[in-house]
Amino acid sequence: MADIKLTNLNKAYGAVHILKDVNLEIRSGEFIVFVGPSGCGKSTLLRSICGLESITSGTLEIDHAVVNEVPPSKRGIAMVFQSYALYPHMSVYENISFALENQGVPRDEIRQRVEKVADMLQLTPYLTRLPKALSGGQRQRVAIGRAIVRGAKVFLFDEPLSNLDAALRVATRMEIAKLKRGMPETTMIYVTHDQVEAMTLADRIVVLQAGRVEQVGTPMELYERPGNLFVAGFIGSPKMNFMTGAPADKMKCKTLGVRPEHLEISARPSPGSMSGKVEYAEILGSDSFVYVATGHGLITARENGRTAVKTGDTVHLTPQAGHVHRFDENGKRIESK
Amino acid sequence: MWQRIRLEPSRFALHLAVLLIVAMWTLPTAGLLVSSLRDKNLIATSGWWTALTTTVRSVQTRTKDASAQVEQDGVFVISGNLFDGSEEGTGTVAAFGTRVAKPDEFAPGSTASYDDGRSLTVNADGTYRYTSPVKFEEGRGQRVFFMTSVPPRFTTENYSNVLFSQGIGRAFVNSLTVTIPATIIPILIAAFAAYALAWMKIPARGFMISVVVGLLVVPLQMSLIPLLKLYNASGFLSKTYLGIWLAHTGFGLPFAIYLLRSYIAGLPRDLIESAQVDGANDFKIFRRIILPLSFPALASFAIFQFLWVWNDLLVAIVFLGTEPDKTVLTYQLNSLLGSRGGNWEILTASAFITIIVPLIVFFSLQRYFVRGLLAGSVKGG
Amino acid sequence: MTMQLFSAFFTVLVGVGGCLAYFWGSNALLDVLLPVSARNDDRSIRNLRLQSTIRPWLFLLPALILLAIYLIYPVFQTLWLSFHDKAGDAFVGLDNYRWAFSDTGFRTSIFNNFLWLLVVPAACTFLGLVIAVLTDRIFWGPVAKSFIFLPMAISFVGASVIWKFVYDYRGEGQEQIGILNAIVEWFGGSPQVWISMPFWNNFFLMVILIWIQTGFATVILGAALRGVPEDTLEAAVIDGAGPFKIFRRIMVPQIMPTIIVVWTTITVLVLKVFDIVLTMTNGQWDTQVLANLMFDWMFRGGGDFGRGAAIAIIIMIAVLPIMVWNIRQANAERKGGH
């Protein structure tokens, strides 16, 4: 059981303001993902929750107790570092047991708990090895095992998959999802810059930009109803198309957004369609991306399978009804009725 | 990389050039080593580079005196061996003579005659037969000059001499007594300080680091007078091992802290933070994470400090004094250089004893030494 | 002998043990005075925070005290002494400095030191660079380098014995046992008393320091050369540059910072050089240098602390620019990196 509450949290290094008035409530057992471009403060936010960074102003509560001044080891948290931070001179067993040893847990109990975790993560055959004798995925599991063995109420992950290759990343992502299902009581906070990880793992996503929380919501909320231009542009790949001027005016907004997958390509004009010349068509096999130069800028459209259009063709793009996003002059979403 | 850009005229010239340079650098030391193993008479009379060749040397000796004469068939005979009583004990006579100007007048086996009927026969193995028709008068034996070829001969006599009778053995132990703690203490003190300066949250950290870097170049001679006054005033430090350990520690600290700090600061931040999250306090982090991981830097500083302390003369003279029971090797060698300047057999053996320990340390731990040099210098110090 | 060994062993144990005892003891004491339990009660958390405020000073204290006593205090004390008379009683203003610049011994030392500063760092760096380049291109280069590096392990006194033997002189007609005179004779020259040869004897002493320090330059510059990106060399080859041009225009400029470091390191060493002159000539035959002159005034017949201190301050001033440069380099590096 661990609720986490951040109230007006600020972090500054001298004049450099890293986190600005962050307010966030995390419920016990939730899987929260912090996502945002590099330098947005997501890692700093995680490290502040961990206690590795001091908080300049505001409060951080874990289980309704203010922990601003509590050292990391007393916050009931565990952290999985980007580099795994395995102690290179200690065996896997020693790596996992180090925290328990510091807590003064009796030797027998340490052994039991380490063996249980090792069994759970299929690390039993490697307990006597040094980290350098392990594969990337095994190291990752040791890092997770180190967090599990302490029985922490909150798990913090700092971009844990960024050091793995693409195939292993997918497999480990699924293992983390499985791990969470096996520990429904444990709160997990996960930092990534990869929106696929965010969308697949999170109960709720926190989108950060320049030290501010832009939006908090479930993955589908963020996809379907992005709260502002930044979130709309950041979530989804390829990026949402934005148009200003005539098409926006027609819809009574400042900026109009349509995702590439919500544009239909046709050879003939239809009501509400935009025409343009195909600049380039990327055919990926499963789908195709068509880049069209229109009077409102370069628009990307996605088609399933292999597209028939070719560079130089004139095409007409029609947004699907109900999939048009409107934003006001401040970039805020205008809800459609 | 550079190998690929071939420099003509030829590889041969390159090898030769390097060989020549290496020879220039090693010959002086080689001369010392070879000489220290040679006979003391040979050191003083022939170059060490001739040590492996047989040298011909002219020797002057005397036959036995008249008391050794026996009468055989009416002639009086003194016989014996020219090498008896000589230092070598045995040898080969290449030639002999009766006058100092011509020590190679007669071939071995032939007979030299004197005016009054006496004659001398000398064989190659040194045995001689000196005859006279009349009884030899009392007095010293007849002078004989001969050329002998001395085969290459090496001895450890010089070493046993200096070790036990020139105070080098005792100085060796004193040097160890000074050097070992004066190496370990600064490592400990500097490692703790380096960790604090690299990772702990303390005020004025940047300023303290600047001070350490600044102190790197302070000439230690400058400290001597003030410290000597301080030591004399304190009473318990002057001329003691504790005093010199602390002095060497103080003088070695700037480099030690500088070197270790830059290494420890380069350890991954995640490791230290992970240990903090794991609930280890700084002392435990230092012991369990920092010390084991900094081994290469610790080793290279250890070698530096060991060589520096072992080879030091100045600090030892000033802080340990010149009482014979506490003098170190360098001091002993220096005073031998003054008192026994011409006795090369003593100097060479003593010098070699003083450099053998650093050489062993150097060769066995060269890898760490070089790494430390690079860490200390290339990074801008 | 056994007794001596035993007492030496005991002394060593006490020294090292005492140091260990301080660190372990003080940290254990901190844990006892400010106990932290496994539970997360307020007292534990407060104590933990207090501990982490106090602990850095436990770590730093011995180093700070030793640095203050052995280096910082003496710098100021020496400065003070340099303005006082021989016993350090009466203030004499700049008299000691005025004396220094009018003293012939001091002038000789300054001149000689200047020669050393001019020759030794340049020779070591140049030879080091040449040897590094040459040894890098042959298979037995590492072995060659470690032989050239070897004299670094030898004490100045040991080196002096070695070189005295090299420079040894026997009267003409006698067989030479010093290799230098033997070589001179072999080429038909007549043997010389190298050590007392006016002016040039300085260079014979410098050879010793060059012999010791070239290995250092070789190793550092060798590593720097290996760090020169290979593509820049390959690009130069493609651009049609010859080996010497590549060396001069591509390699040397890229390792310039390292060359400067080597140069300044050896310069500082030269300013402190003392043992070689002491053991080889003790400053006779016009070979005196500042460090040895200072030692003379402090501890030998002179016995004038004021004059010795003035010389020390002059050496210090000579080192000052290098010190400032070092601090700026280190600060820049720290800000750029960690």
Side-chain angles (χ1 to χ4, degrees), chain A residues 44-97:
Chain A
T44 309
L45 184 57
L46 189 79
R47 291 166 55 82
S48 300
I49 295 172
C50 183
L52 293 171
E53 301 281 355
S54 61
I55 291 163
T56 310
S57 70
T59 55
L60 167 66
E61 290 166 56
I62 298 179
D63 275 343
H64 314 295
V66 176
V67 294
N68 285 22
E69 304 290 306
V70 177
S73 58
K74 296 283 179 200
R75 291 188 183 192
I77 44 149
M79 177 130 165
V80 176
F81 288 85
Q82 181 173 5
S83 65
Y84 317 143
L86 302 185
Y87 310 122
H89 56 297
M90 296 187 194
S91 68
V92 170
Y93 182 92
E94 288 171 310
N95 261 288
I96 297 177
S97 63

Short mmCIF file of all heavy atoms in Angstrom, two decimals, chain A residues 44-97:
data_model
loop_
_atom_site.label_atom_id
_atom_site.label_comp_id
_atom_site.label_asym_id
_atom_site.label_seq_id
_atom_site.Cartn_x
_atom_site.Cartn_y
_atom_site.Cartn_z
N THR A 44 14.63 13.63 -13.32
CA THR A 44 14.80 14.41 -12.09
C THR A 44 13.60 14.18 -11.17
O THR A 44 13.76 14.04 -9.95
CB THR A 44 14.94 15.90 -12.43
OG1 THR A 44 15.94 16.05 -13.41
CG2 THR A 44 15.29 16.71 -11.20
N LEU A 45 12.42 14.13 -11.77
CA LEU A 45 11.22 13.89 -10.97
C LEU A 45 11.31 12.53 -10.28
O LEU A 45 11.03 12.40 -9.08
CB LEU A 45 9.98 13.97 -11.87
CG LEU A 45 8.64 13.83 -11.18
CD1 LEU A 45 8.48 14.88 -10.09
CD2 LEU A 45 7.49 13.97 -12.19
N LEU A 46 11.74 11.53 -11.03
CA LEU A 46 11.86 10.19 -10.46
C LEU A 46 12.90 10.19 -9.34
O LEU A 46 12.68 9.61 -8.26
CB LEU A 46 12.28 9.20 -11.55
CG LEU A 46 12.23 7.74 -11.13
CD1 LEU A 46 10.80 7.24 -11.18
CD2 LEU A 46 13.11 6.87 -12.03
N ARG A 47 14.03 10.86 -9.58
CA ARG A 47 15.10 10.88 -8.59
C ARG A 47 14.69 11.67 -7.35
O ARG A 47 15.15 11.39 -6.25
CB ARG A 47 16.37 11.46 -9.20
CG ARG A 47 16.99 10.52 -10.25
CD ARG A 47 18.04 11.22 -11.10
NE ARG A 47 19.07 11.83 -10.27
CZ ARG A 47 20.10 11.18 -9.78
NH1 ARG A 47 20.25 9.91 -10.05
NH2 ARG A 47 20.98 11.78 -9.03
N SER A 48 13.80 12.65 -7.54
CA SER A 48 13.29 13.39 -6.38
C SER A 48 12.40 12.48 -5.54
O SER A 48 12.45 12.51 -4.31
CB SER A 48 12.49 14.60 -6.84
OG SER A 48 13.31 15.46 -7.58
N ILE A 49 11.58 11.68 -6.20
CA ILE A 49 10.72 10.76 -5.46
C ILE A 49 11.59 9.75 -4.71
O ILE A 49 11.33 9.38 -3.58
CB ILE A 49 9.74 10.04 -6.43
CG1 ILE A 49 8.78 11.07 -7.03
CG2 ILE A 49 8.98 8.94 -5.70
CD1 ILE A 49 7.91 10.51 -8.13
N CYS A 50 12.68 9.35 -5.37
CA CYS A 50 13.60 8.38 -4.77
C CYS A 50 14.34 8.97 -3.58
O CYS A 50 14.68 8.27 -2.64
CB CYS A 50 14.60 7.93 -5.83
SG CYS A 50 15.72 6.68 -5.28
N GLY A 51 14.60 10.27 -3.64
CA GLY A 51 15.36 10.91 -2.56
C GLY A 51 16.80 11.16 -2.95
O GLY A 51 17.60 11.62 -2.13
N LEU A 52 17.15 10.86 -4.20
CA LEU A 52 18.52 11.11 -4.65
C LEU A 52 18.72 12.59 -4.98
O LEU A 52 19.83 13.08 -5.01
CB LEU A 52 18.84 10.25 -5.87
CG LEU A 52 18.89 8.75 -5.57
CD1 LEU A 52 18.98 7.96 -6.87
CD2 LEU A 52 20.07 8.43 -4.67
N GLU A 53 17.61 13.28 -5.26
CA GLU A 53 17.68 14.73 -5.46
C GLU A 53 16.85 15.37 -4.36
O GLU A 53 15.77 14.87 -4.04
CB GLU A 53 17.06 15.13 -6.82
CG GLU A 53 17.70 14.48 -8.02
CD GLU A 53 18.99 15.16 -8.43
OE1 GLU A 53 19.35 16.19 -7.84
OE2 GLU A 53 19.63 14.64 -9.36
N SER A 54 17.36 16.46 -3.83
CA SER A 54 16.56 17.15 -2.82
C SER A 54 15.49 17.97 -3.52
O SER A 54 15.61 18.31 -4.70
CB SER A 54 17.45 18.06 -1.99
OG SER A 54 18.03 19.02 -2.82
N ILE A 55 14.43 18.28 -2.78
CA ILE A 55 13.32 19.03 -3.35
C ILE A 55 13.48 20.49 -2.95
O ILE A 55 13.76 20.79 -1.79
CB ILE A 55 11.99 18.45 -2.82
CG1 ILE A 55 11.77 17.05 -3.41
CG2 ILE A 55 10.83 19.37 -3.16
CD1 ILE A 55 10.74 16.24 -2.67
N THR A 56 13.36 21.39 -3.92
CA THR A 56 13.57 22.81 -3.61
C THR A 56 12.38 23.38 -2.84
O THR A 56 12.54 24.06 -1.85
CB THR A 56 13.81 23.61 -4.90
OG1 THR A 56 14.81 22.94 -5.66
CG2 THR A 56 14.27 25.02 -4.58
N SER A 57 11.17 23.12 -3.35
CA SER A 57 10.00 23.53 -2.57
C SER A 57 8.85 22.59 -2.92
O SER A 57 8.90 21.85 -3.90
CB SER A 57 9.63 24.98 -2.87
OG SER A 57 9.12 25.07 -4.18
N GLY A 58 7.79 22.66 -2.12
CA GLY A 58 6.68 21.75 -2.31
C GLY A 58 6.82 20.54 -1.42
O GLY A 58 7.79 20.43 -0.66
N THR A 59 5.87 19.63 -1.49
CA THR A 59 5.96 18.45 -0.61
C THR A 59 5.80 17.17 -1.41
O THR A 59 5.15 17.13 -2.46
CB THR A 59 4.86 18.46 0.47
OG1 THR A 59 3.60 18.57 -0.19
CG2 THR A 59 5.05 19.59 1.45
N LEU A 60 6.44 16.15 -0.88
CA LEU A 60 6.32 14.81 -1.43
C LEU A 60 5.82 13.93 -0.29
O LEU A 60 6.43 13.91 0.79
CB LEU A 60 7.68 14.33 -1.93
CG LEU A 60 7.80 12.84 -2.24
CD1 LEU A 60 6.92 12.47 -3.42
CD2 LEU A 60 9.24 12.47 -2.54
N GLU A 61 4.67 13.29 -0.50
CA GLU A 61 4.14 12.41 0.55
C GLU A 61 4.14 10.98 0.04
O GLU A 61 3.74 10.72 -1.10
CB GLU A 61 2.71 12.81 0.90
CG GLU A 61 2.60 14.13 1.63
CD GLU A 61 1.16 14.62 1.64
OE1 GLU A 61 0.29 13.86 2.12
OE2 GLU A 61 0.91 15.73 1.15
N ILE A 62 4.59 10.06 0.87
CA ILE A 62 4.40 8.64 0.59
C ILE A 62 3.57 8.10 1.75
O ILE A 62 3.95 8.27 2.91
CB ILE A 62 5.74 7.90 0.49
CG1 ILE A 62 6.56 8.46 -0.68
CG2 ILE A 62 5.52 6.41 0.30
CD1 ILE A 62 7.91 7.83 -0.87
N ASP A 63 2.43 7.51 1.44
CA ASP A 63 1.52 7.01 2.48
C ASP A 63 1.18 8.11 3.48
O ASP A 63 1.24 7.91 4.69
CB ASP A 63 2.14 5.82 3.22
CG ASP A 63 1.87 4.53 2.48
OD1 ASP A 63 0.96 4.54 1.62
OD2 ASP A 63 2.56 3.54 2.74
N HIS A 64 0.86 9.26 2.98
CA HIS A 64 0.36 10.38 3.79
C HIS A 64 1.40 10.94 4.75
O HIS A 64 1.06 11.68 5.65
CB HIS A 64 -0.91 9.98 4.54
CG HIS A 64 -1.89 9.26 3.66
ND1 HIS A 64 -2.50 9.88 2.58
CD2 HIS A 64 -2.31 7.97 3.66
CE1 HIS A 64 -3.28 8.99 1.96
NE2 HIS A 64 -3.16 7.82 2.58
N ALA A 65 2.66 10.55 4.59
CA ALA A 65 3.71 11.15 5.43
C ALA A 65 4.62 11.95 4.52
O ALA A 65 5.02 11.46 3.46
CB ALA A 65 4.50 10.06 6.15
N VAL A 66 4.93 13.17 4.94
CA VAL A 66 5.83 13.99 4.14
C VAL A 66 7.24 13.40 4.25
O VAL A 66 7.74 13.19 5.34
CB VAL A 66 5.82 15.45 4.62
CG1 VAL A 66 6.83 16.28 3.84
CG2 VAL A 66 4.43 16.04 4.46
N VAL A 67 7.86 13.10 3.11
CA VAL A 67 9.18 12.44 3.15
C VAL A 67 10.27 13.31 2.53
O VAL A 67 11.35 12.81 2.22
CB VAL A 67 9.14 11.07 2.44
CG1 VAL A 67 8.25 10.11 3.19
CG2 VAL A 67 8.69 11.22 1.00
N ASN A 68 9.99 14.60 2.35
CA ASN A 68 10.99 15.49 1.73
C ASN A 68 12.40 15.28 2.27
O ASN A 68 13.37 15.31 1.53
CB ASN A 68 10.62 16.96 2.00
CG ASN A 68 9.47 17.41 1.14
OD1 ASN A 68 8.71 16.58 0.67
ND2 ASN A 68 9.35 18.71 0.92
N GLU A 69 12.49 15.11 3.58
CA GLU A 69 13.80 15.07 4.23
C GLU A 69 14.26 13.65 4.56
O GLU A 69 15.28 13.47 5.21
CB GLU A 69 13.77 15.90 5.52
CG GLU A 69 13.32 17.34 5.33
CD GLU A 69 14.37 18.15 4.59
OE1 GLU A 69 15.53 18.15 5.03
OE2 GLU A 69 14.04 18.75 3.55
N VAL A 70 13.50 12.67 4.16
CA VAL A 70 13.83 11.29 4.52
C VAL A 70 14.84 10.73 3.51
O VAL A 70 14.65 10.87 2.30
CB VAL A 70 12.56 10.42 4.55
CG1 VAL A 70 12.90 8.97 4.85
CG2 VAL A 70 11.59 10.96 5.58
N PRO A 71 15.94 10.13 3.98
CA PRO A 71 16.92 9.56 3.05
C PRO A 71 16.33 8.41 2.23
O PRO A 71 15.37 7.77 2.69
CB PRO A 71 18.04 9.04 3.96
CG PRO A 71 17.72 9.49 5.33
CD PRO A 71 16.32 9.93 5.38
N PRO A 72 16.87 8.17 1.05
CA PRO A 72 16.30 7.17 0.13
C PRO A 72 16.03 5.82 0.80
O PRO A 72 14.99 5.22 0.56
CB PRO A 72 17.37 7.02 -0.95
CG PRO A 72 18.21 8.22 -0.86
CD PRO A 72 18.06 8.80 0.50
N SER A 73 16.98 5.39 1.63
CA SER A 73 16.85 4.03 2.16
C SER A 73 15.69 3.89 3.13
O SER A 73 15.28 2.79 3.45
CB SER A 73 18.16 3.63 2.84
OG SER A 73 18.47 4.55 3.86
N LYS A 74 15.16 5.03 3.58
CA LYS A 74 14.05 4.96 4.55
C LYS A 74 12.71 5.29 3.91
O LYS A 74 11.73 5.55 4.60
CB LYS A 74 14.33 5.95 5.71
CG LYS A 74 15.56 5.62 6.53
CD LYS A 74 15.28 4.48 7.48
CE LYS A 74 16.49 4.11 8.30
NZ LYS A 74 16.39 2.76 8.85
N ARG A 75 12.65 5.34 2.58
CA ARG A 75 11.40 5.71 1.95
C ARG A 75 10.58 4.51 1.50
O ARG A 75 9.51 4.68 0.93
CB ARG A 75 11.67 6.61 0.73
CG ARG A 75 12.18 7.97 1.11
CD ARG A 75 12.26 8.90 -0.08
NE ARG A 75 12.84 10.17 0.35
CZ ARG A 75 12.83 11.27 -0.37
NH1 ARG A 75 12.31 11.27 -1.57
NH2 ARG A 75 13.39 12.38 0.10
N GLY A 76 11.13 3.32 1.70
CA GLY A 76 10.39 2.13 1.28
C GLY A 76 10.30 1.99 -0.22
O GLY A 76 9.32 1.52 -0.77
N ILE A 77 11.34 2.42 -0.90
CA ILE A 77 11.34 2.37 -2.35
C ILE A 77 12.49 1.51 -2.84
O ILE A 77 13.45 1.26 -2.11
CB ILE A 77 11.52 3.78 -2.95
CG1 ILE A 77 12.62 4.50 -2.16
CG2 ILE A 77 10.24 4.57 -2.90
CD1 ILE A 77 13.37 5.44 -2.97
N ALA A 78 12.39 1.08 -4.09
CA ALA A 78 13.50 0.41 -4.74
C ALA A 78 13.65 1.02 -6.11
O ALA A 78 12.67 1.50 -6.68
CB ALA A 78 13.23 -1.09 -4.86
N MET A 79 14.89 1.05 -6.59
CA MET A 79 15.09 1.71 -7.87
C MET A 79 15.87 0.79 -8.81
O MET A 79 16.85 0.17 -8.41
CB MET A 79 15.86 3.01 -7.65
CG MET A 79 16.20 3.74 -8.92
SD MET A 79 15.71 5.47 -8.81
CE MET A 79 16.60 6.18 -10.16
N VAL A 80 15.42 0.74 -10.07
CA VAL A 80 16.17 0.03 -11.11
C VAL A 80 16.77 1.09 -12.01
O VAL A 80 16.06 1.88 -12.63
CB VAL A 80 15.24 -0.90 -11.91
CG1 VAL A 80 16.01 -1.55 -13.05
CG2 VAL A 80 14.64 -1.96 -11.01
N PHE A 81 18.11 1.14 -12.03
CA PHE A 81 18.79 2.20 -12.76
C PHE A 81 18.93 1.86 -14.24
O PHE A 81 18.91 0.70 -14.62
CB PHE A 81 20.18 2.43 -12.17
CG PHE A 81 20.16 3.10 -10.83
CD1 PHE A 81 19.99 2.35 -9.68
CD2 PHE A 81 20.30 4.47 -10.72
CE1 PHE A 81 19.97 2.95 -8.44
CE2 PHE A 81 20.28 5.08 -9.48
CZ PHE A 81 20.12 4.32 -8.34
N GLN A 82 19.10 2.91 -15.02
CA GLN A 82 19.27 2.75 -16.46
C GLN A 82 20.44 1.83 -16.78
O GLN A 82 20.37 0.98 -17.64
CB GLN A 82 19.48 4.12 -17.08
CG GLN A 82 19.64 4.08 -18.58
CD GLN A 82 19.67 5.48 -19.17
OE1 GLN A 82 19.66 6.47 -18.47
NE2 GLN A 82 19.69 5.53 -20.49
N SER A 83 21.55 2.04 -16.03
CA SER A 83 22.74 1.22 -16.28
C SER A 83 22.71 -0.05 -15.45
O SER A 83 23.68 -0.78 -15.39
CB SER A 83 23.98 2.02 -15.93
OG SER A 83 23.98 2.28 -14.54
N TYR A 84 21.61 -0.29 -14.74
CA TYR A 84 21.41 -1.40 -13.78
C TYR A 84 22.18 -1.19 -12.49
O TYR A 84 21.81 -1.69 -11.45
CB TYR A 84 21.76 -2.78 -14.34
CG TYR A 84 21.28 -3.02 -15.73
CD1 TYR A 84 22.03 -3.75 -16.64
CD2 TYR A 84 20.06 -2.49 -16.17
CE1 TYR A 84 21.59 -3.94 -17.93
CE2 TYR A 84 19.61 -2.67 -17.45
CZ TYR A 84 20.38 -3.39 -18.34
OH TYR A 84 19.96 -3.56 -19.61
N ALA A 85 23.34 -0.47 -12.57
CA ALA A 85 24.14 -0.20 -11.37
C ALA A 85 24.43 -1.46 -10.58
O ALA A 85 24.40 -1.45 -9.36
CB ALA A 85 23.45 0.84 -10.48
N LEU A 86 24.72 -2.57 -11.27
CA LEU A 86 25.14 -3.77 -10.54
C LEU A 86 26.55 -3.53 -10.03
O LEU A 86 27.38 -2.98 -10.74
CB LEU A 86 25.13 -4.98 -11.47
CG LEU A 86 23.78 -5.28 -12.12
CD1 LEU A 86 23.87 -6.58 -12.91
CD2 LEU A 86 22.68 -5.39 -11.07
N TYR A 87 26.82 -3.96 -8.81
CA TYR A 87 28.17 -3.80 -8.26
C TYR A 87 29.09 -4.79 -8.96
O TYR A 87 28.93 -6.00 -8.80
CB TYR A 87 28.16 -4.03 -6.74
CG TYR A 87 27.08 -3.25 -6.04
CD1 TYR A 87 26.10 -3.88 -5.27
CD2 TYR A 87 27.01 -1.86 -6.17
CE1 TYR A 87 25.10 -3.15 -4.64
CE2 TYR A 87 26.02 -1.13 -5.55
CZ TYR A 87 25.05 -1.78 -4.79
OH TYR A 87 24.07 -1.06 -4.18
N PRO A 88 30.04 -4.29 -9.75
CA PRO A 88 30.78 -5.19 -10.65
C PRO A 88 31.66 -6.20 -9.94
O PRO A 88 32.00 -7.23 -10.50
CB PRO A 88 31.62 -4.23 -11.51
CG PRO A 88 31.66 -2.96 -10.76
CD PRO A 88 30.43 -2.89 -9.92
N HIS A 89 32.02 -5.90 -8.68
CA HIS A 89 32.94 -6.79 -7.97
C HIS A 89 32.19 -7.76 -7.07
O HIS A 89 32.82 -8.50 -6.33
CB HIS A 89 33.91 -5.95 -7.15
CG HIS A 89 33.22 -5.03 -6.20
ND1 HIS A 89 32.39 -4.02 -6.63
CD2 HIS A 89 33.21 -5.00 -4.86
CE1 HIS A 89 31.90 -3.38 -5.58
NE2 HIS A 89 32.38 -3.95 -4.49
N MET A 90 30.84 -7.72 -7.08
CA MET A 90 30.09 -8.63 -6.22
C MET A 90 29.34 -9.64 -7.09
O MET A 90 28.90 -9.32 -8.19
CB MET A 90 29.07 -7.85 -5.39
CG MET A 90 29.67 -6.87 -4.40
SD MET A 90 28.32 -6.21 -3.40
CE MET A 90 29.11 -4.82 -2.63
N SER A 91 29.19 -10.84 -6.56
CA SER A 91 28.45 -11.86 -7.29
C SER A 91 26.98 -11.48 -7.34
O SER A 91 26.54 -10.56 -6.64
CB SER A 91 28.61 -13.22 -6.60
OG SER A 91 27.93 -13.19 -5.37
N VAL A 92 26.23 -12.20 -8.16
CA VAL A 92 24.80 -11.93 -8.28
C VAL A 92 24.14 -12.05 -6.90
O VAL A 92 23.35 -11.20 -6.50
CB VAL A 92 24.16 -12.93 -9.27
CG1 VAL A 92 22.64 -12.84 -9.22
CG2 VAL A 92 24.67 -12.64 -10.68
N TYR A 93 24.53 -13.08 -6.16
CA TYR A 93 23.97 -13.26 -4.82
C TYR A 93 24.24 -12.05 -3.94
O TYR A 93 23.34 -11.52 -3.29
CB TYR A 93 24.57 -14.52 -4.18
CG TYR A 93 24.00 -14.82 -2.81
CD1 TYR A 93 22.89 -15.66 -2.67
CD2 TYR A 93 24.56 -14.27 -1.67
CE1 TYR A 93 22.35 -15.92 -1.43
CE2 TYR A 93 24.03 -14.53 -0.42
CZ TYR A 93 22.93 -15.36 -0.30
OH TYR A 93 22.40 -15.61 0.93
N GLU A 94 25.49 -11.60 -3.94
CA GLU A 94 25.86 -10.45 -3.10
C GLU A 94 25.15 -9.19 -3.55
O GLU A 94 24.74 -8.36 -2.73
CB GLU A 94 27.37 -10.23 -3.13
CG GLU A 94 28.14 -11.29 -2.38
CD GLU A 94 29.64 -11.17 -2.62
OE1 GLU A 94 30.04 -11.09 -3.81
OE2 GLU A 94 30.40 -11.16 -1.65
N ASN A 95 25.00 -9.04 -4.88
CA ASN A 95 24.29 -7.89 -5.39
C ASN A 95 22.86 -7.84 -4.85
O ASN A 95 22.38 -6.79 -4.44
CB ASN A 95 24.25 -7.94 -6.92
CG ASN A 95 25.31 -7.08 -7.56
OD1 ASN A 95 25.22 -5.86 -7.53
ND2 ASN A 95 26.35 -7.70 -8.08
N ILE A 96 22.20 -9.01 -4.90
CA ILE A 96 20.80 -9.04 -4.47
C ILE A 96 20.69 -8.87 -2.96
O ILE A 96 19.79 -8.23 -2.45
CB ILE A 96 20.13 -10.34 -4.96
CG1 ILE A 96 20.12 -10.37 -6.50
CG2 ILE A 96 18.71 -10.44 -4.44
CD1 ILE A 96 19.55 -11.63 -7.09
N SER A 97 21.67 -9.43 -2.24
CA SER A 97 21.52 -9.44 -0.78
C SER A 97 22.04 -8.18 -0.10
O SER A 97 21.82 -7.99 1.09
CB SER A 97 22.25 -10.65 -0.19
OG SER A 97 23.63 -10.55 -0.45
#
